[in-house]
Amino acid sequence: QVQLVESGGGLVQAGGSLRLSCAASGRTFSRYCMGWFRQAPGKEREFVATITWRGDRIYYADSVKGRFTISRDNAKNTVYLQMNSLKPEDTAVYYCAADDDIAPSLDSGAYDYWGQGTQVTVSS
């Protein structure tokens, strides 16, 4: 079992920045691919970013490419999502997830463990 706890969400004006953190506990965190997903009201959960356990492969959704950066610190069992140039359409609940696989996935169904989510609201 892996327990994931997100933090760092909040209210920010358009153009601002936030850094989300996801602290993991339980089984060996460093072996998992980690992903960030988000879900806006009335919409399906969507992929945001993912990173392999070594950090050597990273993928982003086109909608956040160039604005968001995913990173991880295996010594701290934490994955981060730095979000810059935020837009109102980034407003959503953001979830981190862990996937017990070598290859990163953009599919939420591939992830085995999920956090409870953290709200990000971007005002115009």
Side-chain angles (χ1 to χ4, degrees), residues 29-43:
F29 168 78
S30 62
R31 296 182 180 178
Y32 286 78
C33 289
M34 298 299 296
W36 285 97
F37 292 78
R38 67 186 182 185
Q39 187 166 19
K43 295 187 177 182

Side-chain angles (χ1 to χ4, degrees), residues 29-108:
F29 168 78
S30 62
R31 296 182 180 178
Y32 286 78
C33 289
M34 298 299 296
W36 285 97
F37 292 78
R38 67 186 182 185
Q39 187 166 19
K43 295 187 177 182
E44 293 187 353
R45 190 170 298 187
E46 65 173 1
F47 166 77
V48 175
T50 186
I51 184 169
T52 53
W53 70 276
R54 289 182 176 178
D56 57 343
R57 279 189 287 171
I58 293 174
Y59 300 98
Y60 296 99
D62 288 343
S63 59
V64 307
K65 203 171 293 183
R67 300 187 298 123
F68 290 11
T69 302
I70 188 172
S71 63
R72 66 190 294 164
D73 185 337
N74 290 337
K76 295 182 178 180
N77 287 355
T78 302
V79 63
Y80 304 97
L81 185 68
Q82 177 67 43
M83 306 185 295
N84 298 328
S85 303
L86 282 161
K87 305 175 181 180
E89 50 264 44
D90 294 319
T91 295
V93 177
Y94 283 71
Y95 300 89
C96 75
D99 176 13
D100 186 9
D101 200 340
I102 296 175
S105 176
L106 280 62
D107 181 4
S108 63

